[in-house]
Amino acid sequence: MHVYQSLPVQKIRSRNCKPVQPILERFPKHKDGDRFRSFNSKLYHFKWLEYSVSQDSVFCYYCRHFSENGSISDYKCDIFIVAGYRQWKKCYGKSEKEKHLLSFSHCKAVANYEAYNSTLEKGSVISQIRKEHAILIKENRHYLVTLCEILLTIVQQKIGVRESGSLFRASAIDIESESIDYGPHSGNFLSLLALVGNHDEVIARRIRHGPGNAKYTHHSVQNALLDIMADEVKNKIFEEMQAAEYFAILADDTKDLSKKEQLSIAGVISTMETFMKNFYALKN
């Protein structure tokens, strides 16, 4: 906060306080030109204008608190900061008030004031960037989790992820349309994704406006996500087998329609706890 020695005590206030704009029944008069004149509270429509009762003068709130240099010598010629302005006859036309309003120092102070208010409301620039980054990470995770849940649902229901051959054809999304639709031959994955997107703003925003290389709807990405989830399941099974007291493995193979042999491996895990539970179950 800039403090100027020529200002009265009532004027030295925090920048967090609002401009001093008292409303008096009668403002003091002094001779100005050929008659006595006084300040008019209608001038308060200038939000930056402050009135000092003790000095019967007006000052600039923005420049007093938000100028870039607090040195008095730099502003000794600016009466709206140091001495105060009280030429009421000229106050309603083009005068020192207009000169000050259009001055570079005043415009810079106004910009500093707006930046200061923005910092109070939203935090510093760094904190705003961090918040936006955190929101972006949260939305990205939500989108990827949704894709994985859709794929998991398809696998659990034992239905195809997408149509095969020439039937598969996903239509481009119309970003202006209220609903999301990939077309009748887009497959189960894209159809379910469109359904979720019609009820989830984050998913809809990513589908409509997300980067083309980060929508993760290509069939190669679908296969990659399925492989990742399969690896997670296998790793979980391996961990349980390593922690088990006893386990058994059963392997069997069979040929599919293309005459290729497919090997299936099943594992049985047993611990003393599960054995006791089974024992009591048989006993009862």
Side-chain angles (χ1 to χ4, degrees):
M1 180 181 71
H2 305 319
V3 178
Y4 300 96
Q5 295 176 355
S6 61
L7 294 180
V9 176
Q10 71 181 70
K11 297 292 294 177
I12 303 175
R13 304 179 67 187
S14 168
R15 60 169 56 183
N16 294 325
C17 298
K18 295 181 179 180
V20 180
Q21 296 181 338
I23 302 296
L24 306 180
E25 291 184 5
R26 291 184 179 181
F27 287 92
K29 293 184 177 182
H30 71 273
K31 193 170 184 179
D32 185 9
D34 57 349
R35 66 179 64 182
F36 286 88
R37 293 181 172 86
S38 64
F39 173 75
N40 193 326
S41 59
K42 291 181 179 180
L43 290 173
Y44 286 153
H45 73 274
F46 293 102
K47 296 181 180 180
W48 54 270
L49 199 68
E50 292 188 302
Y51 177 78
S52 170
V53 177
S54 60
Q55 289 191 256
D56 187 28
S57 302
V58 292
F59 297 84
C60 177
Y61 169 79
Y62 296 151
C63 292
R64 285 198 310 107
H65 291 294
F66 299 96
S67 56
E68 292 190 340
N69 194 327
S71 173
I72 297 177
S73 61
D74 293 337
Y75 297 97
K76 61 184 180 181
C77 297
D78 195 331
I79 56 178
F80 281 94
I81 297 177
V82 181
Y85 184 80
R86 57 182 297 181
Q87 298 180 25
W88 311 131
K89 180 180 179 180
K90 300 179 180 180
C91 205
Y92 299 96
K94 292 184 178 180
S95 59
E96 294 294 331
K97 176 170 58 64
E98 275 65 31
K99 292 180 181 179
H100 176 80
L101 187 64
L102 298 175
S103 66
F104 175 80
S105 59
H106 176 81
C107 294
K108 188 65 177 177
V110 173
N112 292 340
Y113 167 76
E114 293 175 350
Y116 178 75
N117 277 345
S118 177
T119 300
L120 291 180
E121 294 175 1
K122 302 178 182 179
S124 64
V125 175
I126 295 177
S127 64
Q128 291 181 44
I129 293 175
R130 287 176 178 173
K131 289 179 182 178
E132 292 296 328
H133 183 63
I135 293 174
L136 181 61
I137 291 176
K138 184 178 180 180
E139 291 186 352
N140 287 343
R141 289 177 177 174
H142 174 68
Y143 182 71
L144 280 174
V145 168
T146 301
L147 296 183
C148 292
E149 289 178 345
I150 291 174
L151 287 171
L152 184 60
T153 300
I154 291 174
V155 172
Q156 290 174 338
Q157 297 301 316
K158 299 180 180 180
I159 57 179
V161 176
R162 51 191 175 270
E163 294 190 21
S164 59
S166 59
L167 290 177
F168 176 71
R169 185 177 298 276
S171 303
I173 295 298
D174 183 6
I175 61 175
E176 301 296 335
S177 176
E178 294 183 0
S179 61
I180 299 173
D181 186 9
Y182 284 99
H185 299 292
S186 57
N188 292 320
F189 174 76
L190 292 180
S191 296
L192 289 175
L193 179 60
L195 176 63
V196 175
N198 288 328
H199 300 277
D200 190 313
E201 293 183 0
V202 175
I203 303 300
R205 186 164 58 251
R206 174 58 68 88
I207 293 174
R208 287 192 172 98
H209 307 292
N213 61 346
K215 293 185 178 179
Y216 309 125
T217 55
H218 192 265
H219 62 84
S220 61
V221 179
Q222 298 172 21
N223 294 339
L225 291 176
L226 288 171
D227 290 339
I228 292 172
M229 289 189 287
D231 290 339
E232 287 295 317
V233 172
K234 287 188 290 185
N235 291 336
K236 183 64 176 179
I237 294 174
F238 293 155
E239 290 177 3
E240 292 181 354
M241 292 180 67
Q242 291 175 352
E245 298 180 21
Y246 308 98
F247 67 88
I249 296 178
L250 177 64
D252 192 11
D253 66 306
T254 184
K255 292 183 178 180
D256 58 15
L257 295 176
S258 62
K259 305 299 182 180
K260 291 184 179 180
E261 291 190 354
Q262 301 291 334
L263 178 64
S264 299
I265 300 177
V268 180
I269 302 172
S270 177
T271 63
M272 184 59 66
E273 182 181 357
T274 57
F275 174 78
M276 293 299 291
K277 286 182 179 179
N278 292 335
F279 176 78
Y280 284 125
L282 291 174
K283 184 178 180 180
N284 294 333

